[in-house]
Amino acid sequence: MKFHVLTLFPEIPRAFFESSIMAKAVDRGIIAYDLVNIRDFAFDKHKTCDDSPYGGGAGMLMLPEPLDRALVSVQAYKKRVIYVTPSGKPFTQKKALELSQEDELVFICGRYEGIDQRIIDSWVDDEISIGDYVLSSGEIAAAVIIDAVYRLVEGVISSESLEEESFSDGLLEYPQYTRPEIYKGAAVPEVLLSGHHENIRKWRLQKRLAKTFANRPELIAECRRNGSLSAEAERMIEEITGQVRKPARRRRKVSVNTGDENGFD
């Protein structure tokens, strides 16, 4: 898979691509990247890439011409183009999985007040937001999305490591422990030391449900809507909340004309 990152500051994403698991994936040929400096496509000697917006207002806007030429240089018309922006659709694990199926992705990193709308209309396939807040750097937002995507590409990380991560099946991940067995008076839960795989599975599921219910209850509701919670999970939720979800009581019809005494008042 190849990532094309169009940016005014290529030194920011370069550090990301040259570090940790990403660097190993690049060395193994699983991942490739291309950092395109938009300033290289500016027309004047000062490499100007911004100007004031029509209609007034604070800040500057990225010029369409250099960005358009940069997009042409990577043949973006043949690829999926993503613009990272606070006004985009929220980024999710489901979206990351979808994007990981692409052969190549092009990221436009905005700066200042953003980019000219005509570039969005002509080139952009996806406008994506990583959260309801504003960053000064589109490069950071692009790195977040790339990090979530590339690790799902086959061969980067073992499939076993991905199976029970947060959001993999709609729930958050269970707590984990490593050595030492006792640290500052706090011990590793005994069940994890038991070697009893079924008990460990149940403990982990219970902890995932409890954490999701406490931190992201809307995820539990979504799992119920799509039917992904097992009967076992539902029982655990009842234990966690102390509430049994009772079926709605059916009301008997009342005969208005006769005042049927078998009906409810």
Side-chain angles (χ1 to χ4, degrees):
M1 184 177 197
K2 186 170 185 177
F3 297 100
H4 303 268
V5 183
L6 279 56
T7 169
L8 295 174
F9 300 93
E11 61 273 15
I12 297 176
R14 180 174 289 113
F16 169 72
F17 282 103
E18 295 179 353
S19 303
S20 191
I21 299 174
M22 172 62 88
K24 294 178 182 178
V26 172
D27 289 341
R28 292 163 59 197
I30 301 172
I31 300 296
Y33 68 96
D34 178 23
L35 304 180
V36 180
N37 192 335
I38 300 169
R39 295 187 190 280
D40 292 341
F41 298 91
F43 292 99
D44 65 333
K45 64 179 181 179
H46 300 293
K47 302 295 183 181
T48 303
C49 287
D50 64 292
D51 205 340
S52 55
Y54 281 116
M60 305 290 278
L61 202 66
M62 290 178 65
L63 291 168
E65 293 97 332
L67 189 47
D68 185 85
R69 295 173 69 193
L71 287 159
V72 171
S73 77
V74 298
Q75 297 184 317
Y77 46 83
K78 297 180 180 180
K79 304 171 177 67
R80 190 163 180 173
V81 179
I82 297 168
Y83 174 45
V84 287
T85 168
S87 60
K89 294 181 179 179
F91 185 57
T92 63
Q93 187 69 15
K94 182 179 179 181
K95 190 68 173 181
L97 183 60
E98 175 191 326
L99 295 177
S100 71
Q101 307 305 308
E102 299 285 340
D103 292 327
E104 297 186 56
L105 293 173
V106 179
F107 285 84
I108 299 175
C109 301
R111 279 273 170 166
Y112 318 119
E113 293 301 309
I115 66 176
D116 192 292
Q117 183 64 38
R118 289 167 291 186
I119 292 294
I120 298 174
D121 294 340
S122 300
W123 288 97
V124 173
D125 298 303
D126 301 272
E127 293 182 74
I128 298 178
S129 168
I130 62 168
D132 295 339
Y133 47 85
V134 178
L135 300 173
S136 61
S137 171
E139 290 78 12
I140 294 174
V144 168
I145 297 172
I146 292 170
D147 190 86
V149 170
Y150 93 96
R151 61 195 307 280
L152 299 176
V153 175
E154 185 176 356
V156 174
I157 296 177
S158 68
S159 58
E160 186 179 83
S161 297
L162 300 173
E163 286 177 357
E164 293 187 338
E165 290 186 325
S166 292
F167 309 110
S168 59
D169 59 359
L171 301 175
L172 302 182
E173 192 172 15
Y174 50 79
Q176 300 196 58
Y177 302 83
T178 187
R179 292 179 292 181
E181 186 176 324
I182 298 177
Y183 177 67
K184 292 187 175 180
V188 174
E190 187 174 343
V191 65
L192 299 180
L193 307 174
S194 68
H196 195 298
H197 297 300
E198 178 61 11
N199 287 348
I200 291 172
R201 182 196 67 81
K202 290 180 178 179
W203 180 89
R204 286 176 169 171
L205 176 58
Q206 194 272 342
K207 291 298 182 182
R208 296 186 75 197
L209 291 165
K211 188 171 186 177
T212 306
F213 195 85
N215 294 352
R216 297 288 302 277
E218 77 278 8
L219 296 179
I220 297 287
E222 178 60 28
C223 287
R224 282 174 166 162
R225 279 193 294 270
N226 62 36
S228 62
L229 286 181
S230 65
E232 179 187 38
E234 288 286 7
R235 289 194 299 271
M236 288 182 177
I237 292 174
E238 291 171 2
E239 294 172 1
I240 291 166
T241 61
Q243 299 174 353
V244 178
R245 295 201 306 154
K246 297 180 180 180
R249 184 183 180 188
R250 296 182 62 183
R251 296 177 61 88
R252 300 164 98 184
K253 291 184 178 179
V254 177
S255 173
V256 176
N257 294 329
T258 64
D260 186 353
E261 62 185 8
N262 290 323
F264 294 109
D265 292 333

